[in-house]
Amino acid sequence: MIKFPIPTNIIQSKIKKGYKSNCNKGLAFEDEINNANNYYNNHNIALIYKRPTPIHIVNVDYSKNMITKAFFEKQSTTDYNGIYRKKYIDFEAKSTYNSSLPLHNIKSHQIDHLRKVEQFDGIAFFIIKDYRTNDSYIFPFSLFDTFIKNNSRQSIPFNYIKENGVIIKTNNNILDFLSAVDEFYFSS
Amino acid sequence: MIKFPIPTNIIQSKIKKGYKSNCNKGLAFEDEINNANNYYNNHNIALIYKRPTPIHIVNVDYSKNMITKAFFEKQSTTDYNGIYRKKYIDFEAKSTYNSSLPLHNIKSHQIDHLRKVEQFDGIAFFIIKDYRTNDSYIFPFSLFDTFIKNNSRQSIPFNYIKENGVIIKTNNNILDFLSAVDEFYFSS
């Protein structure tokens, strides 16, 4: 999830009200990914969806079929999954303004999940956006996993991500992250 | 979704209050599938999750981080997906007390979605429960698709599902639907 726990529709509501915060950036990034997924779906390239934000519902007004009390829950897995080139694909989007990606907002259950995806022969990665340059990168989970196993750092330097990941180009007016996936996972 | 739009935690709340309805059956069926998925996950057999119920959020009390007004939205795809035997897997659970499965509660966008999953070489099917007998079946989407293209009926007779699908056995105290998937998709 890009800006947990605030979902898109709340962010949109904030934007309508002139609310200024980093959420707008998060929304723009999420929209970039959603737009790409829509393009891939419409052009029969891939089938990738964002998982809905999980909500714990406490009260419902059944006369209006309306939820009157609920709380945000943590996503138990990652935000996006689907199928591409006959393979299961699963990823998490993260963004930062810093010169390194803080690890504290990548949850251990997400790491466990992505590790399992790789063990099951799926494609697991992060899409990481550097707001200083507006560049985004595919950062394969295998590289992430190697990094955290060999380092005690609390963040991954962006230089490491840039040198080892794949930059995502804009093609057909979308953030064409599957071309970067092709480059890392499917080029021989 | 088994009993759209009422999610599990509402049903559980109803049960606690002694609420009597078909929801309890829906919950039991959903629990059977969730228990199976937990077993598969814990035993490194498959990685399958239920997608959260999508909610449209209208109001949030930010001081309590609490949603105070929201509505249920339709699931844009199906309820379950994941990875099994290196393949993308995607399915919808349906149940009925009738001698045939009504088609009106299988939405056209779900049909389109499952058709695409097959085109992308994923495994797409329904798990269908017959409450008259408490038996559940794997009914592959390809068979469903052939049926609806060749019939103008508003429902699929259960006899057709039983003759062409695969009955799901209970193994290790779970509704072992992946054994039925093995039988249909992986046996040579």
Side-chain angles (χ1 to χ4, degrees), chain B residues 5 42 92 106 129 150 153 160 163 175 181-182 185:
Chain B
N42 292 335
E92 182 72 9
I106 300 172
K129 178 148 191 164
N150 295 318
R153 295 178 64 116
Y160 185 86
E163 282 166 19
L175 184 71
V181 166
D182 284 345
Y185 291 97

Side-chain angles (χ1 to χ4, degrees), chain A residues 64-128:
Chain A
K64 298 173 182 170
N65 204 23
M66 186 174 86
I67 299 159
T68 55
K69 186 175 181 183
F71 294 93
F72 298 105
E73 285 194 332
K74 287 180 187 171
Q75 189 73 272
S76 58
T77 58
T78 50
D79 263 1
Y80 301 89
N81 76 347
I83 182 168
Y84 175 56
R85 292 180 72 161
K86 303 189 176 186
K87 302 274 273 186
Y88 176 83
I89 190 168
D90 196 305
F91 60 94
E92 182 72 11
K94 294 290 176 194
S95 56
T96 183
Y97 288 90
N98 302 325
S99 59
S100 62
L101 180 74
L103 293 175
H104 63 81
N105 64 346
I106 300 172
K107 306 301 177 195
S108 61
H109 62 264
Q110 294 183 317
I111 294 171
D112 293 342
H113 173 77
L114 289 169
R115 193 175 287 136
K116 277 205 167 187
V117 169
E118 284 212 329
Q119 287 165 355
F120 280 112
D121 203 37
I123 296 173
F125 57 90
F126 294 93
I127 297 182
I128 301 174

Side-chain angles (χ1 to χ4, degrees), chain A residues 5-7 9-11 13-14 17 40-47 49-60 62 64-73 75-77 81-90 113 116-117 119-123, chain B residues 5-7 9-11 13-14 17 40-47 49-60 62 64-73 75-77 81-90 113 116-117 119-123:
Chain A
I6 305 173
N9 40 6
I10 295 180
I11 298 165
S13 147
K14 281 180 174 178
K17 291 170 189 164
Y40 296 140
N41 191 338
N42 292 335
H43 290 75
N44 287 318
I45 293 166
L47 210 53
Y49 286 92
K50 186 175 189 302
R51 290 187 176 97
T53 303
I55 307 285
H56 175 70
I57 297 163
V58 179
N59 286 328
V60 175
Y62 289 104
K64 298 173 182 170
N65 204 23
M66 186 174 86
I67 299 159
T68 55
K69 186 175 181 183
F71 294 93
F72 298 105
E73 285 194 332
Q75 189 73 272
S76 58
T77 58
N81 76 347
I83 182 168
Y84 175 56
R85 292 180 72 161
K86 303 189 176 186
K87 302 274 273 186
Y88 176 83
I89 190 168
D90 196 305
H113 173 77
K116 277 205 167 187
V117 169
Q119 287 165 355
F120 280 112
D121 203 37
I123 296 173
Chain B
I6 305 174
N9 39 7
I10 295 180
I11 298 165
S13 146
K14 282 181 175 179
K17 291 170 189 164
Y40 296 141
N41 190 338
N42 292 335
H43 290 76
N44 287 318
I45 294 166
L47 211 53
Y49 284 92
K50 187 175 188 302
R51 290 187 176 98
T53 303
I55 307 285
H56 176 70
I57 297 163
V58 180
N59 286 329
V60 176
Y62 289 103
K64 297 173 183 169
N65 204 23
M66 186 174 84
I67 299 159
T68 54
K69 186 176 181 182
F71 294 93
F72 298 104
E73 285 193 333
Q75 188 74 270
S76 58
T77 58
N81 76 347
I83 184 168
Y84 175 57
R85 293 180 72 160
K86 303 189 177 187
K87 303 273 274 186
Y88 175 82
I89 190 167
D90 195 305
H113 173 76
K116 278 204 167 187
V117 169
Q119 287 165 356
F120 280 111
D121 203 36
I123 296 173

Side-chain angles (χ1 to χ4, degrees), chain B residues 115 119 141-152:
Chain B
R115 191 176 288 135
Q119 287 165 356
F141 178 75
S142 54
L143 299 181
F144 173 90
D145 211 19
T146 302
F147 184 91
I148 61 171
K149 283 174 178 167
N150 295 318
N151 288 275
S152 56

Side-chain angles (χ1 to χ4, degrees), chain A residues 140-175:
Chain A
F141 178 76
S142 54
L143 299 181
F144 174 90
D145 211 20
T146 301
F147 184 92
I148 60 171
K149 283 174 177 167
N150 295 318
N151 288 276
S152 56
R153 295 178 63 115
Q154 298 302 303
S155 64
I156 304 180
F158 243 111
N159 281 342
Y160 185 87
I161 293 167
K162 289 178 184 182
E163 283 167 19
N164 295 280
V166 181
I167 193 165
I168 303 175
K169 294 172 186 156
T170 298
N171 295 318
N172 303 305
N173 292 317
I174 59 158
L175 183 72

